[in-house]
Amino acid sequence: MRKISLFVLFCFLCEIHIFACTNFLVGKYASVDGSTMITYSADSYALFGELYHWPAKKYSQGEKLKVYEWDSGKYLGEIAQASQTYNVVGNMNEYQVTIGETTFGGREELADPDGIIDYGSLIYIALQRAKTAREAIKIMTDLVAEYGYYSGGESFSIGDPNEIWVLEMIGKGKGNKGAVWVAVRIPDDCISAHANQSRIHQFPLKDPQNCIYAKDVISFAREKGYYTGKDEDFSFSKAYNPLDFGGQRFCEARVWSFFNKCNKDMAKFVTYAQGKTQEPMPLYIKPDKKLSLADIQGMMRDHYEGTELDWTNDIGAGPFKSPYRWAPLTWKVDSVEYCNERPIATQQSGFVFTSQMRSWLPNSIGGVLWFGTDDASQTVFTPMYCSVTEVPECYREGNGDLYTFSWTSSFWIQNWVSNMVYNKYDYMHPDLKKVQDELEGKFLTEQNSTEKEALELYKKSPEQAVQFLTKYSETQAQYAFERWKKLGEFLVIKYMDGVVRKEKDGEFIRNEHGKPSSPQRVGYPKDFYERVVKETGDKYKVLY
């Protein structure tokens, strides 16, 4: 089955999230301040946005860990528990190790229904057990070798304050426990990305400092008939996830958009992103300038604006220039198949983050998970320090779900606001962005002073620093939540019933008698009216 067919099928079934996420990776010398950074947009119509938390804990010898598939909740089996686990907040642990993922699926016959470890459990188990990115890779690959790999092909982003890696993995099929995989370290002065298409092609076979791989990753491909050439020419991607139109237009296009914003030479790959040519992009590139945290967060909000894939000016964008289209990705007219674009920022995100990992600070202060629920373009990246011991109420697991609306849940408040903005995008999004900039500007401005205070406390007592950062993270999350709720109320009033009510600096204008002033009847943009006349002729012409 082709990639796009699988995507559409799973969108309808809403059982697992697949071909739906985006990751960026930034090396420490490619960032403005020396941070390593990983971003993750966890995109699925079936995923509820909440902040997971596992406290550090010790276990007795012989204890077992029950494994449940992250996507469906299905019980898969049990494995040996570690004697010591570490504090995990979302996708970052107390040692600043971060793991993200995107699913590429790959060859269907390599799925193992008898495996115990799915990709989601693999992430969160490794985070509870690893102190470095390299250690996480060993833990992940050892786990699937011992217990079997339940999921389809995955690309994982794995980072710590010093290194960032891309690990790609796929199973070996029913009755053949384990997985084939390869992990490549991204050079410190480079950036990388992946988005539901395997991206590792040729890799160094004798450079264990920068590349490690399963001993049978090439021989297994030969055995299955996926590859017949020389070892040095072997491409993991071509063998295990052959490229098709969906892999380019819906997946690699997102990588291209990120690369294109960071390096002028990547513009030439636009035809590859469009599915017209097949020369692959490199796994990593050097950016033209060093990237800041704000740069990366801004790139997560990309809809291909200003490129050949920009779709905000055709009829599909509607009268209000929306950069969104509703699923499915493909559709037919007169038996001809067409597609929507699949940008980086998308409506079906459950949660998003940018992790900031810094080697010059104590781990409890250096690791920040800038977290948001819902669409990256419509959310607020809020600082959650990796050492926090409690999750804010607005992000708490169990505070609502996809079938239970909660007025105290960030996911639901974000979606409430987003689904207003989607319908009148070019009118309403500037109001949203104003509050978004206000909040994120506040958090970034406060970061130095907050961490300076935390560092002073840390010198006296690391526990006091953790308590301080837990309280700070909770306060900022709830502050952003309440501010966003006020934004929703403001938007309802300002744009109710298709008019625009007059306001200045967030305050609605009243007349001299204290009553609400008359709203503006804004109608539709001029070019939309022209399209209506072109399509309908004199049907709506006013006759005198």
Side-chain angles (χ1 to χ4, degrees):
M1 189 182 294
R2 294 179 304 130
K3 182 184 301 265
I4 180 56
S5 299
L6 276 171
F7 185 95
V8 174
L9 174 62
F10 288 132
C11 279
F12 280 121
L13 292 179
C14 291
E15 289 182 348
I16 63 176
H17 87 279
I18 191 167
F19 310 134
C21 303
T22 307
N23 287 190
F24 303 154
L25 304 90
V26 180
K28 60 184 178 181
Y29 299 144
S31 69
V32 169
D33 67 350
S35 301
T36 57
M37 292 184 280
I38 288 175
T39 77
Y40 181 29
S41 181
D43 304 336
S44 168
Y45 290 103
L47 180 64
F48 186 75
E50 53 199 351
L51 185 62
Y52 312 128
H53 178 232
W54 290 269
K57 192 174 178 180
K58 292 185 177 180
Y59 294 89
S60 302
Q61 186 175 0
E63 286 196 59
K64 299 292 185 180
L65 171 67
K66 294 183 182 299
V67 178
Y68 298 87
E69 187 186 16
W70 183 46
D71 291 312
S72 69
K74 176 184 176 182
Y75 175 68
L76 298 179
E78 62 180 26
I79 66 173
Q81 180 59 278
S83 60
Q84 171 72 63
T85 61
Y86 309 129
N87 190 67
V88 177
V89 179
N91 287 59
M92 179 184 261
N93 75 14
E94 63 180 282
Y95 291 97
Q96 305 189 59
V97 176
T98 301
I99 307 178
E101 60 78 32
T102 73
T103 302
F104 63 78
R107 296 185 181 273
E108 295 177 42
E109 67 271 22
L110 298 185
D112 180 8
D114 301 320
I116 290 179
I117 308 289
D118 68 295
Y119 77 95
S121 300
L122 198 58
I123 290 172
Y124 298 112
I125 293 171
L127 285 170
Q128 292 176 70
R129 300 181 179 193
K131 291 184 177 181
T132 67
R134 287 177 186 264
E135 188 176 0
I137 293 168
K138 179 169 177 24
I139 288 168
M140 294 167 77
T141 54
D142 285 352
L143 280 171
V144 297
E146 183 174 358
Y147 296 106
Y149 180 55
Y150 181 75
S151 300
E154 285 285 331
S155 300
F156 297 96
S157 298
I158 306 173
D160 61 32
N162 294 299
E163 299 181 349
I164 53 172
W165 291 73
V166 173
L167 164 66
E168 294 196 330
M169 174 185 295
I170 193 167
K172 299 165 76 171
K174 184 175 175 59
N176 197 354
K177 188 169 64 173
V180 286
W181 55 272
V182 58
V184 175
R185 182 183 176 187
I186 306 304
D188 293 338
D189 60 351
C190 289
I191 61 173
S192 186
H194 52 89
N196 310 121
Q197 172 67 39
S198 170
R199 304 215 60 250
I200 297 177
H201 287 279
Q202 285 75 32
F203 51 90
L205 300 176
K206 297 180 180 180
D207 185 7
Q209 283 300 109
N210 298 295
C211 181
I212 46 182
Y213 51 89
K215 62 182 181 181
D216 60 345
V217 66
I218 300 175
S219 62
F220 182 76
R222 293 185 193 281
E223 176 188 324
K224 300 294 288 187
Y226 304 151
Y227 183 67
T228 58
K230 298 178 181 178
D231 283 3
E232 56 266 30
D233 295 330
F234 176 75
S235 163
F236 183 92
S237 179
K238 288 181 179 179
Y240 295 113
N241 186 209
L243 192 66
D244 60 15
F245 177 80
Q248 290 182 259
R249 189 64 169 260
F250 306 135
C251 304
E252 289 282 76
R254 284 175 272 155
V255 174
W256 171 78
S257 193
F258 173 55
F259 281 3
N260 185 51
K261 285 179 177 289
C262 298
N263 183 312
K264 62 182 182 300
D265 294 334
M266 293 304 295
K268 65 185 179 183
F269 285 97
V270 65
T271 52
Y272 173 75
Q274 293 170 315
K276 296 177 180 178
T277 57
Q278 276 68 54
E279 180 189 355
M281 295 180 292
L283 174 62
Y284 51 81
I285 62 169
K286 288 186 179 182
D288 291 336
K289 66 178 185 68
K290 293 187 177 184
L291 303 173
S292 68
L293 177 70
D295 290 334
I296 295 300
Q297 291 172 349
M299 289 174 188
M300 291 184 72
R301 293 172 168 143
D302 179 70
H303 302 110
Y304 301 125
E305 289 91 345
T307 75
E308 291 87 337
L309 276 68
D310 190 338
W311 59 346
T312 58
N313 292 302
D314 62 45
I315 193 170
F320 302 111
K321 312 296 184 187
S322 173
Y324 296 88
R325 304 291 187 276
W326 310 134
L329 273 175
T330 63
W331 39 279
K332 288 185 178 181
V333 174
D334 297 330
S335 300
V336 178
E337 190 171 22
Y338 300 88
C339 69
N340 294 327
E341 302 296 356
R342 198 323 195 165
I344 293 164
T346 184
Q347 63 269 14
Q348 72 264 28
S349 300
F351 63 83
V352 295
F353 70 73
T354 301
S355 69
Q356 185 180 26
M357 300 163 279
R358 295 167 294 176
S359 61
W360 62 93
L361 289 168
N363 286 319
S364 57
I365 302 170
V368 190
L369 192 77
W370 295 84
F371 184 79
T373 52
D374 193 34
D375 180 351
S377 182
Q378 317 269 18
T379 197
V380 177
F381 288 102
T382 305
M384 295 288 108
Y385 282 83
C386 69
S387 55
V388 302
T389 56
E390 295 180 19
V391 170
E393 173 63 18
C394 62
Y395 298 148
R396 178 178 57 81
E397 289 184 77
N399 185 3
D401 61 32
L402 282 177
Y403 289 169
T404 308
F405 188 95
S406 169
W407 282 110
T408 59
S409 160
S410 175
F411 176 84
W412 278 118
I413 295 302
Q414 294 285 159
N415 273 278
W416 172 52
V417 171
S418 295
N419 279 274
M420 283 191 276
V421 173
Y422 291 147
N423 292 323
K424 275 199 170 181
Y425 189 82
D426 65 346
Y427 280 3
M428 299 175 75
H429 192 263
D431 289 317
L432 180 150
K433 190 175 187 305
K434 183 178 179 180
V435 178
Q436 192 179 63
D437 290 345
E438 168 200 319
L439 290 169
E440 292 179 350
K442 171 187 182 297
F443 300 147
L444 288 171
T445 299
E446 291 177 353
Q447 187 175 13
N448 284 340
S449 60
T450 299
E451 292 174 357
K452 183 178 180 180
E453 186 172 351
L455 195 55
E456 290 302 312
L457 288 170
Y458 185 88
K459 292 174 183 176
K460 300 174 185 176
S461 166
E463 291 76 17
Q464 286 185 33
V466 169
Q467 291 172 9
F468 170 76
L469 292 172
T470 297
K471 183 63 177 177
Y472 176 79
S473 298
E474 179 184 17
T475 300
Q476 302 319 304
Q478 292 301 137
Y479 177 81
F481 169 80
E482 294 296 340
R483 185 67 183 88
W484 215 252
K485 197 172 182 180
K486 287 293 184 185
L487 170 64
E489 295 168 359
F490 173 82
L491 294 175
V492 169
I493 296 170
K494 184 173 179 178
Y495 296 101
M496 183 172 59
D497 296 337
V499 298
V500 178
R501 289 169 175 80
K502 299 173 185 177
E503 54 89 14
K504 183 178 181 181
D505 298 327
E507 295 292 329
F508 291 102
I509 298 172
R510 296 177 180 269
N511 65 20
E512 64 271 25
H513 308 294
K515 296 290 186 180
S517 60
S518 296
Q520 295 173 278
R521 292 163 173 79
V522 293
Y524 294 92
K526 182 175 179 290
D527 61 347
F528 181 75
Y529 282 128
E530 290 171 347
R531 284 179 179 175
V532 171
V533 172
K534 184 176 181 181
E535 182 175 319
T536 63
D538 291 341
K539 180 177 180 180
Y540 300 111
K541 186 176 181 179
V542 176
L543 303 176
Y544 293 96

